[in-house]
């Protein structure tokens, strides 16, 4: 879009999985997997199949002749990627290409939940761990550059892209040219905290389908452009086509959150890698509550962004927001601030229409906001907006939440019922 914005009056985005057909003169779908129709599948849950399919997806992406590493936030998804890579390298000669250990990378404000959890996972796996720190001010100073490279004014994407952008710069300076990352798992397995409120398996499955279809506008956009801005390649094994087909062919009833059974978000994935004989991860990491990247780098990061926006956007500016920005009108000062920066780089209407809009709670689609009437009063993409779900949820409004909230890593850890593995005996 950077190269086209000065010359083109109109942009038309190709929907994912389409190509242009010269015969018909229009778009034709070339990628048409079974789940795309959003029909409810009924295949029983098979933990071994999930585990084996994911391991194959990870190993497939290790085909490289350049120095590589893993982005490790300490959450379930990135930790599983690091664990599978670490195991594979221990059994092959690939590690000799760059030392004899896997390199992992994490970024956050000092004392953030992600830094603590990532360090523990790295120590457990025996990786060469690089812990990178940034300050709120350093992040704020990078906002304009981030928005220019990521080409969006979506709030949650910018919140998460900024630390990833800063981390990618440091990683590239170390000579690393490729990293594996954990994007895609939350969309496939319903890992976002708002999925706790899914009323039934039909709504749950349809929401996961909507989230996967929109990945190119959110998480994949962030992962791709935040890294490529520095010439770093990101690979995402959770979005392996075969793995998606396996996971999306599962009966969505198994994916739903059932606290009475000890099933938290992404329980089917956690359970698939819950091996008591040869553990992939420590139990409390394997069952760590979902923490969105923009939250996990430090709760004061989002609070700092809101404070910064409040200093630059007045109440009168917000009152006139619908006149200044009639398309995707910003509803918060933070969103208004990002929009002004975006418009500075991409002033044409064609550019602003490439960014999706609509209400969102904890990264939900607009449709999922309907699951809980209370959410309409707290439309914020942070995971802490999932009231009654997140262990460190906002107490009243997002502006009143501070970094002194409870650390979900240390204080609240969910484990399977009775503290035992729920894998069949043959799968352990």
């Amino acid at each position: 879009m950077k190269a086209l914005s000065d010359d083109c009056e109109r942009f038309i985005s190709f929907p994912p999985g389409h190509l242009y057909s010269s015969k018909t003169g229009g778009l034709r779908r070339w990628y048409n997997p079974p789940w795309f129709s959003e029909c409810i599948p009924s295949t029983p849950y098979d933990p071994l199949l999930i585990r084996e399919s994911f391991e194959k997806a990870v190993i497939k992406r290790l085909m490289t002749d350049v120095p590589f590493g893993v982005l490790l936030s300490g959450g379930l998804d990135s930790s599983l990627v690091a664990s599978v890579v670490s195991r594979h390298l221990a059994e092959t000669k690939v590690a000799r290409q760059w030392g004899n250990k896997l390199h992992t990378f994490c970024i956050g404000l000092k004392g953030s939940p992600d830094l603590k959890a990532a360090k523990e996972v790295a120590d457990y796996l025996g990786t060469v761990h690089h812990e990178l720190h940034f300050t709120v001010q350093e992040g704020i100073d990078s906002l304009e550059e981030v928005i220019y490279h990521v080409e969006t004014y979506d709030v949650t994407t910018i919140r998460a892209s900024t630390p990833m952008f800063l981390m990618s710069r440091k990683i590239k300076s170390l000579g690393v040219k490729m990293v594996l990352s954990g994007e895609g798992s939350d969309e496939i397995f319903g890992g976002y905290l708002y999925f706790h409120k899914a009323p039934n398996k039909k709504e749950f499955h349809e929401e996961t389908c909507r989230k996967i279809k929109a990945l190119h506008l959110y998480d994949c956009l962030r992962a791709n452009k935040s890294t490529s801005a520095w010439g770093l390649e990101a690979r995402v094994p959770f979005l392996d086509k075969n793995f998606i087909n396996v996971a999306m062919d599962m009966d969505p009833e198994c994916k739903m959150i059932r606290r009475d059974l000890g099933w938290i978000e992404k329980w089917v994935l956690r359970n698939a890698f819950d091996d008591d004989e040869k553990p992939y991860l420590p139990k409390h990491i394997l069952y760590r509550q979902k923490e969105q990247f923009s939250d996990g780098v430090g709760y004061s990061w989002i609070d700092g962004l809101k404070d910064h926006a409040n200093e630059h956007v007045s109440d009168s500016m917000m009152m006139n927001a619908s006149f200044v920005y009639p398309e995707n009108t910003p509803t918060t000062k933070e969103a208004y601030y990002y929009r002004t920066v975006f418009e500075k780089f991409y002033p044409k209407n064609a550019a602003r229409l490439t960014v999706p809009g609509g209400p969102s709670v904890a990264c939900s689609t607009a449709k999922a906001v309907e699951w809980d009437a209370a959410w309409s009063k707290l439309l914020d993409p942070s995971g802490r907006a999932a009231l009654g779900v997140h262990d460190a949820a906002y107490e009243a409004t997002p502006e009143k939440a501070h970094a002194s909230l409870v650390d979900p890593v240390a204080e609240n850890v969910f484990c399977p019922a009775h503290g035992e593995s729920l894998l069949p005996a043959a799968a352990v």
Side-chain angles (χ1 to χ4, degrees), residues 150-212:
V150 180
E151 301 176 337
T152 187
Y153 50 83
D154 175 68
V155 171
T156 188
T157 303
I158 295 171
R159 287 176 175 178
S161 293
T162 304
M164 194 168 193
F165 178 83
L166 296 173
M167 177 169 56
S168 298
R169 178 176 63 186
K170 180 62 176 178
I171 292 174
K172 184 59 184 296
S173 72
L174 295 174
V176 179
K177 296 186 177 181
M178 184 273 283
V179 290
L180 273 70
S181 191
E183 277 77 17
S185 173
D186 293 310
E187 287 75 13
I188 295 170
F189 293 104
Y192 293 108
L193 297 184
Y194 72 89
F195 276 96
H196 280 247
K197 299 297 181 73
N200 52 61
K201 70 177 185 179
K202 179 177 182 294
E203 290 276 358
F204 190 105
H205 181 71
E206 290 176 350
E207 176 69 2
T208 58
C209 292
R210 288 191 292 267
K211 291 293 292 182
I212 297 173

Side-chain angles (χ1 to χ4, degrees), residues 118-149:
K119 181 64 166 61
E120 186 171 356
V121 174
D123 289 344
Y124 181 82
L125 298 177
T127 70
V128 178
H129 189 57
H130 305 262
E131 184 174 291
L132 312 175
H133 300 143
F134 78 105
T135 65
V136 172
Q137 189 58 51
E138 287 173 336
I140 290 173
D141 291 342
S142 302
L143 282 176
E144 290 200 3
E145 198 174 0
V146 168
I147 293 173
Y148 171 75
H149 282 289

